[in-house]
Amino acid sequence: MGITTAADRKGKECHELSRDSSAKRNSRSRKGRRRQKKMLPIQRLYDTCREVFAESGTNIIPSPQDIERLRAVLDGIRPEDLGLTPDMPYFRTSVTQRHPTITYLHLCECDKFSMGIFCLPPSGVISLHDHPGMTVFSKLVFGTMHIKSYDWAVHDPNTSAANSSHTVPPGVRVAKVKVDSNFTAPCDTSILYPSEGGNMHCFTAVTACAVLDVLGPPYSDPDGRHCTYYHDYPFARFSVAGVSVPEEERDKYAWLEEREKPEELAVVGAMYGGPMFVEN
């Protein structure tokens, strides 16, 4: 990519270069800078992810500077940088389908991070799910999408009083709404963290839309990062002794109950056909 490596420099600092070799080096440097400027956005994204998630692990959050660096790269991604257009087959609905099929374009995955694109036809839904111990960047590439996300309530009122109540099923907890809005591209990349920022979210396509997802680290059952799905219920659905929220704030809370992967969630894989990047 036009970047001089340590190996290239090895031994060159130990003797004086002639004027000709110096001129050649400067010429290579200028060419390197030009090649770097021409770097494909997808390559820049991959390289940035490798650096930002170099020390990635469960509940390890990149530094604020690295968060902003990766966000800036994602904010600059356009549909053409991924070879995507709304008229592609991934974004069409079929009259015979009750639940639109979502297509996932795999870009890459290692033990530190993963990159992929979700392609949603109109009314396509990625059900409410979580990202345990992960930092997630979601870039809406095009289209309009409704996002609803939750964080567990900081002081979870679902304590022993709730556990002893017959009105609340086992495994149901209180969560606070983080986001409940429509987003239309171009818009800022959304970021969620292991315990805040909307770690549990649901995507609903208002129009055909594409979402570029970067997860650090990726899901891993052996490492305890298993995807859990949820039902969400209005806060007023259950009555728990000792648990109360002011009437005007009830729409900011909900009860979440773990569930099996929804049968209506149909996700199929497809080959990514956009600009390529080099994994190094």
Side-chain angles (χ1 to χ4, degrees):
M1 296 179 293
I3 300 175
T4 304
T5 66
D8 296 327
R9 294 194 301 269
K10 187 176 182 181
K12 293 184 180 180
E13 297 174 353
C14 299
H15 65 277
E16 184 176 350
L17 295 172
S18 68
R19 182 175 300 177
D20 287 345
S21 63
S22 178
K24 290 178 181 178
R25 182 186 62 185
N26 290 336
S27 176
R28 287 196 300 269
S29 178
R30 286 193 295 271
K31 290 179 181 178
R33 286 195 294 270
R34 285 197 294 270
R35 285 196 295 268
Q36 191 171 10
K37 288 181 180 179
K38 294 179 181 179
M39 183 189 296
L40 292 174
I42 190 66
Q43 184 70 56
R44 184 174 294 109
L45 173 61
Y46 173 78
D47 291 347
T48 304
C49 285
R50 283 190 69 232
E51 296 170 2
V52 168
F53 293 114
E55 305 300 326
S56 179
T58 304
N59 292 318
I60 296 177
I61 302 172
S63 70
Q65 294 81 4
D66 280 341
I67 291 285
E68 289 307 313
R69 185 154 64 101
L70 182 49
R71 185 210 295 265
V73 173
L74 283 162
D75 282 347
I77 295 288
R78 301 168 299 176
E80 54 267 34
D81 297 328
L82 303 172
L84 295 175
T85 59
D87 60 353
M88 299 175 85
Y90 313 135
F91 305 104
R92 299 174 190 163
T93 55
S94 171
V95 293
T96 61
Q97 291 180 317
R98 182 179 177 185
H99 303 288
T101 298
I102 297 164
T103 303
Y104 180 73
L105 308 179
H106 173 77
L107 295 178
C108 72
E109 180 171 332
C110 62
D111 61 343
K112 298 297 185 181
F113 69 93
S114 66
M115 296 164 40
I117 305 166
F118 286 97
C119 304
L120 290 82
S123 301
V125 177
I126 299 179
S127 306
L128 184 62
H129 62 284
D130 68 354
H131 306 81
M134 302 152 67
T135 303
V136 180
F137 295 72
S138 295
K139 160 70 176 181
L140 182 60
V141 181
F142 64 77
T144 297
M145 171 177 287
H146 183 87
I147 300 177
K148 189 165 189 178
S149 65
Y150 299 92
D151 289 323
W152 295 120
V154 176
H155 301 293
D156 187 356
N158 192 20
T159 58
S160 57
N163 293 332
S164 64
S165 172
H166 297 294
T167 60
V168 177
V172 175
R173 294 178 59 188
V174 171
K176 188 171 184 179
V177 176
K178 178 66 177 180
V179 173
D180 188 8
S181 301
N182 284 350
F183 293 83
T184 300
C187 57
D188 293 341
T189 299
S190 66
I191 306 173
L192 59 86
Y193 302 93
S195 59
E196 62 180 355
N199 189 276
M200 297 156 286
H201 65 199
C202 172
F203 290 162
T204 302
V206 179
T207 67
C209 53
V211 182
L212 172 59
D213 254 12
V214 174
L215 284 61
Y219 288 108
S220 171
D221 287 348
D223 295 315
R225 298 190 300 271
H226 172 72
C227 183
T228 300
Y229 294 90
Y230 298 91
H231 286 295
D232 56 344
Y233 303 105
F235 184 80
R237 172 73 174 269
F238 302 112
S239 175
V240 178
V243 178
S244 63
V245 170
E247 185 70 31
E248 64 274 13
E249 295 185 12
R250 289 195 169 189
D251 60 344
K252 299 178 182 178
Y253 291 86
W255 298 94
L256 302 191
E257 179 183 24
E258 292 186 17
R259 63 181 297 192
E260 296 296 322
K261 181 180 178 180
E263 293 182 2
E264 65 271 17
L265 177 59
V267 180
V268 298
M271 291 291 292
Y272 169 69
M276 297 303 296
F277 56 94
V278 178
E279 299 185 39
N280 45 38

